[in-house]
Amino acid sequence: ILSNISAFCGAMLVLIFLQYIVLSSCDTCGQDRLVLGDWLISHGQPRLLEAPIPPLVSTVTTDPYTDLSNPPPSLDVFCAMQWSNDTDQSSGLRKYRLKNFATETEAVAANYSITHKGHCGSCSSLQDLGVYIRQNLTDATRKCAIEGILSKNLQKQCLKKIGFSNPCISIWSYNIKNTRSECLWTCLWSKIRNEPFNKPDGILNHCLQCDEDKSGPNFKYFSGRTRRNRGIPSAIHRPDSQVYFMEHCYWYGDL
């Protein structure tokens, strides 16, 4: 029996590894993750957005976790982007637009490129897309959460150093605060036991499952983007049914 369990666990790890390898560059159209990520960070700042800007693409100013009616129902839509022909006078960079569309077909017909599934939110800027593309955020954001125990400002500076835009930092900060409140002891126990992100059967460890249940719904609603709804590989294995597979091939000029 033990040998069968060991073989099963080994097979699961191989499948997760192979999936990561297959996905590691397909979402970037074969481009180097660091190069494309850095380009998007420098060319996709929120200040380059043209009006009208979708309502949730803004800084979250009140803690959404204190309102038990949150999150509101989320529409089954797509957030898409389009480069403008106008440029920012101070930087010379092209401006761009974000818009919600009911279907992929409508977005393509309007000459927009899908940037993620679901409505546009605080982390839907191309700058934040670049942050997600260029690195695995699980360990980096955990580090910021630890610094946040000492100081809110340290946590904010840590998130800024990762590259997030200010609107995206706002929802990440509330998310970290809520997870710390709801899941601290569960996550400490997971850390002490050195639990992998996924158990042998593929389900999340106790810490990640607590975060998913207690903080996930509000974070997904207000951030707009997640790694799953834009097809970006993660160290945390997710079922294919939860991932929107896509490519991010909408840069201009040379990388």
Side-chain angles (χ1 to χ4, degrees):
I1 294 175
L2 289 175
S3 62
N4 289 337
I5 293 175
S6 177
F8 173 76
C9 294
M12 284 296 299
L13 290 173
V14 169
L15 286 173
I16 292 172
F17 175 76
L18 288 176
Q19 183 186 50
Y20 182 84
I21 293 298
V22 170
L23 291 175
S24 62
S25 63
C26 66
D27 62 309
T28 62
C29 300
Q31 300 297 322
D32 181 272
R33 307 195 74 80
L34 291 177
V35 173
L36 178 58
D38 286 342
W39 189 95
L40 288 166
I41 289 171
S42 63
H43 290 69
Q45 299 166 46
R47 66 182 181 82
L48 297 173
L49 281 168
E50 281 192 342
I53 299 174
L56 290 174
V57 182
S58 60
T59 298
V60 182
T61 56
T62 57
D63 188 346
Y65 296 96
T66 60
D67 185 345
L68 297 180
S69 67
N70 281 330
S74 182
L75 298 176
D76 188 16
V77 297
F78 296 86
C79 180
M81 65 77 55
Q82 181 188 66
W83 292 110
S84 170
N85 291 323
D86 294 332
T87 57
D88 176 63
Q89 291 184 349
S90 62
S91 64
L93 298 175
R94 290 175 67 177
K95 297 182 179 181
Y96 68 100
R97 308 176 187 95
L98 288 177
K99 186 176 180 180
N100 293 315
F101 287 90
T103 66
E104 295 169 281
T105 302
E106 287 183 17
V108 173
N111 200 29
Y112 275 71
S113 299
I114 301 293
T115 187
H116 66 79
K117 194 172 189 293
H119 59 256
C120 304
S122 294
C123 296
S124 293
S125 76
L126 298 187
Q127 175 180 337
D128 297 306
L129 170 60
V131 172
Y132 276 87
I133 279 180
R134 76 181 307 280
Q135 63 194 303
N136 191 300
L137 287 171
T138 305
D139 291 332
T141 52
R142 278 187 172 182
K143 177 179 178 292
C144 295
I146 293 172
E147 293 190 13
I149 296 174
L150 302 174
S151 162
K152 287 183 180 179
N153 186 56
L154 281 176
Q155 178 176 288
K156 182 177 180 179
Q157 292 306 313
C158 180
L159 292 169
K160 186 177 285 290
K161 192 178 296 183
I162 291 174
F164 286 122
S165 69
N166 286 330
C168 192
I169 287 174
S170 68
I171 186 57
W172 265 103
S173 296
Y174 286 127
N175 175 76
I176 290 171
K177 175 186 175 184
N178 190 71
T179 298
R180 185 185 299 128
S181 172
E182 297 283 352
C183 308
L184 176 61
W185 299 112
T186 300
C187 289
L188 282 175
W189 185 237
S190 288
K191 185 69 174 177
I192 291 170
R193 297 179 64 192
N194 197 29
E195 286 188 327
F197 295 144
N198 295 91
K199 296 183 179 182
D201 60 0
I203 66 173
L204 299 176
N205 69 28
H206 294 93
C207 175
L208 292 175
Q209 190 61 59
C210 182
D211 174 68
E212 181 82 8
D213 295 338
K214 301 294 186 179
S215 298
N218 272 323
F219 180 78
K220 285 182 279 191
Y221 180 85
F222 288 96
S223 70
R225 285 190 190 278
T226 65
R227 279 168 287 192
R228 279 171 280 176
N229 73 4
R230 55 190 133 184
I232 295 175
S234 169
I236 303 170
H237 174 67
R238 305 285 187 173
D240 285 354
S241 60
Q242 296 182 12
V243 180
Y244 177 68
F245 294 101
M246 61 172 297
E247 293 181 316
H248 301 280
C249 311
Y250 33 83
W251 64 86
Y252 63 84
D254 298 324
L255 292 179

